[in-house]
Amino acid sequence: MTSPRIGVSGVLRSWDGADRTGVNAAYVRSLVAAGGVPLVLSPLMGPSLAARALDGADGLVLTGGEDLDPSWYAAEPSPLLSPPSRERDLFELALFAAARQRELPILGICRGIQLINVALGGTLYQDLPSERPGEVEHRPDGPRDLRSHRVRLQPGSRVAAALGATSLTVNSSHHQAIKNLASALLATGWTDDGLIEAAETGSDAPWLLAVQWHPEEMYAEARAPEHGLFAALVREAGSARGYLVGERREQETITHAVQRSP
Ligand code: MN
């Protein structure tokens, strides 16, 4: 009844002869499993309605997808840039600004960590293989939940606490990544060759955590540490609105008692 409501930024795609808008089911599955109520937010409503769309939301997930337009961080487009979506960039930058203003907890995933970094003044590698060649394969062939490279996590960080680990082999499906980190963020996860794979706010700032991999795709793995990321977001979203689990139980007990009384 008082499960925290979590906005999830959506995409526009065409298939089976129709334009469709929504999110990958894995985000919804992961949030429902964590006790949240996902609210799918379509970029078709445009940036002017982004703040209104977040009314009643207790948290926000910024999801994976298209490359950001490099003009947001004053770079010329690489020939290897995948086509950006101006519509999605504008909508999500507006969502992020509104969520920050309201101090909602924010979880960024893949494109989400990139968008957050750029919105706060950082820059990106537009194409890792050509701009930062290395041993680590960030877009391996295989299923979306294939664990393929290691990420070391800063002990004591939000991400290490949420995952209950300081090292994790993660799935990976990206060709862009953080280059210069925005000054408002702390890097808290790295590949073995030093690429940033997790970033977050300090403990004195509203809760924000972002990862470069795809924790939502691990939904079917019952004991996946990644469930902890969604659980942490839902817990923060709940506590921000006074939905602490203890209080909720108490409230439900009272409600049931009232309903049963003659
Ligand atoms: Mn990666």
Side-chain angles (χ1 to χ4, degrees):
M1 200 156 51
T2 51
S3 309
R5 292 151 58 93
I6 310 292
V8 188
S9 65
V11 300
L12 175 66
R13 296 281 185 273
S14 292
W15 77 90
D16 286 350
D19 285 352
R20 297 165 201 260
T21 186
V23 299
N24 286 0
Y27 294 107
V28 173
R29 288 178 170 132
S30 294
L31 283 166
V32 169
V37 176
L39 310 174
V40 177
L41 305 177
S42 171
L44 289 177
M45 70 180 86
S48 65
L49 293 180
R52 178 75 181 125
L54 277 182
D55 283 355
D58 306 306
L60 176 66
V61 176
L62 292 164
T63 59
E66 293 88 346
D67 290 354
L68 279 158
D69 189 326
S71 66
W72 295 118
Y73 48 100
E76 290 298 317
S78 155
L80 295 167
L81 184 77
S82 303
S85 163
R86 181 129 192 111
E87 183 174 53
R88 223 190 135 185
D89 287 358
L90 286 167
F91 180 62
E92 291 183 350
L93 287 166
L95 275 182
F96 178 65
R100 288 263 296 172
Q101 194 175 32
R102 295 172 198 188
E103 303 193 349
L104 299 183
I106 299 167
L107 176 63
I109 293 175
C110 195
R111 169 189 161 89
I113 192 175
Q114 298 164 11
L115 183 124
I116 289 166
N117 185 52
V118 167
L120 296 173
T123 66
L124 303 179
Y125 292 109
Q126 294 186 46
D127 178 66
L128 285 171
S130 59
E131 294 174 33
R132 191 187 188 278
E135 299 281 295
V136 180
E137 176 54 68
H138 291 283
R139 205 145 63 172
D141 293 332
R144 298 172 69 89
D145 61 351
L146 175 73
R147 295 187 180 276
S148 65
H149 74 68
R150 194 164 82 111
V151 174
R152 290 176 297 110
L153 302 160
Q154 179 69 44
S157 61
R158 295 191 197 280
V159 69
L163 291 165
T166 53
S167 173
L168 185 66
T169 300
V170 301
N171 61 344
S172 188
S173 178
H174 60 110
H175 81 128
Q176 301 205 317
I178 290 177
K179 187 176 183 182
N180 296 321
L181 185 69
S183 60
L185 298 174
L186 305 168
T188 51
W190 305 264
T191 57
D192 290 336
D193 65 358
L195 184 71
I196 294 172
E197 288 256 352
E200 59 193 65
T201 47
S203 55
D204 53 342
W207 195 94
L208 180 154
L209 170 53
V211 298
Q212 184 54 72
W213 70 96
H214 282 278
E216 80 284 4
E217 295 291 352
M218 313 312 291
Y219 69 87
E221 190 184 310
R223 290 168 179 272
E226 282 86 350
H227 293 295
L229 292 175
F230 296 95
L233 172 69
V234 168
R235 189 169 57 244
E236 290 295 324
S239 60
R241 295 296 170 98
Y243 296 156
L244 290 166
V245 172
E247 288 179 22
R248 180 164 71 220
R249 288 221 183 93
E250 198 176 353
Q251 202 171 32
E252 281 171 2
T253 306
I254 294 166
T255 308
H256 289 154
V258 169
Q259 285 166 350
R260 276 195 220 101
S261 62

